[in-house]
Amino acid sequence: MNIRLMIFGLMTILFDSCTTTKYFLPEFDKIGVSEYGSFIQILQHDGKKIEGELLAVEEHSIIVLASSAFASDTSIRVAVNKISKFKLRYAQPKHYGWTIPAYTIVCLSHGFWAALTIPVNLITTISVTVAGENAYTYDGKKISYEGLKMFARFPQGIPPNVKLTSIK
């Protein structure tokens, strides 16, 4: 395997893991007490991508508090029949990226056997890191639109006295 390709892959995993989490997501040990909804990424059939906090799930639509450069703090109603796929994250992921270089360096102390233990440790630590980053996520294959309700800020729908424009 090309060493440059392997280093590029490791760096991609480390840097990508830092950019995908949102400030309003709770730590994994405080999942049940967060007042915010989960972070959702929606890809529509026309290629438009919407991401932000999941506010509510209605019968035929999903309401998202968008958090992008184009639509900051804007509530968007997305029709369910226009959604191609979605990905939901309900807690901050565990970051194990530090284990990749740390255990690789430790393997150098194995001397001749390092030629065998470094690849084994790389496979193991990369697998653990990827699994940790993908923890606390659901997509359309794992959960239905009806199941998304429990991850919304308003699981029973937007209350009648709350205006979407007032939600921040």
Side-chain angles (χ1 to χ4, degrees):
M1 178 180 247
N2 188 347
I3 192 74
R4 290 180 186 165
L5 180 63
M6 191 168 22
I7 291 172
F8 176 74
L10 295 175
M11 297 306 284
T12 302
I13 290 171
L14 289 174
F15 289 123
D16 183 51
S17 66
C18 299
T19 61
T20 57
T21 58
K22 296 297 176 186
Y23 68 91
F24 57 81
L25 289 179
E27 295 294 328
F28 63 92
D29 57 345
K30 295 183 175 39
I31 290 174
V33 295
S34 176
E35 67 270 14
Y36 297 105
S38 299
F39 176 71
I40 190 165
Q41 295 174 316
I42 297 173
L43 182 64
Q44 294 180 331
H45 293 296
D46 61 2
K48 185 177 177 186
K49 185 177 178 182
I50 298 170
E51 59 182 35
E53 180 187 355
L54 178 62
L55 292 178
V57 179
E58 297 176 339
E59 188 175 349
H60 298 292
S61 63
I62 294 176
I63 302 171
V64 177
L65 183 62
S67 61
S68 69
F70 303 108
S72 180
D73 292 336
T74 303
S75 299
I76 298 174
R77 189 178 306 263
V78 183
V80 171
N81 61 2
K82 292 185 178 182
I83 296 175
S84 171
K85 57 184 172 179
F86 66 86
K87 184 176 181 182
L88 178 101
R89 181 179 296 276
Y90 60 93
Q92 295 282 348
K94 296 179 181 179
H95 300 291
Y96 296 115
W98 62 271
T99 62
I100 298 169
Y103 285 112
T104 302
I105 290 170
V106 169
C107 286
L108 294 176
S109 68
H110 297 165
F112 172 76
W113 295 105
L116 297 174
T117 58
I118 287 176
V120 169
N121 277 317
L122 280 174
I123 290 169
T124 304
T125 54
I126 289 171
S127 299
V128 168
T129 301
V130 169
E133 291 299 322
N134 290 331
Y136 311 115
T137 61
Y138 285 115
D139 59 15
K141 297 175 187 171
K142 296 179 185 176
I143 192 169
S144 67
Y145 290 109
E146 187 69 25
L148 286 176
K149 286 183 178 182
M150 71 177 127
F151 297 103
R153 186 189 296 196
F154 302 105
Q156 296 161 336
I158 304 288
N161 60 341
V162 175
K163 294 180 181 172
L164 287 177
T165 55
S166 66
I167 298 174
K168 300 288 179 204

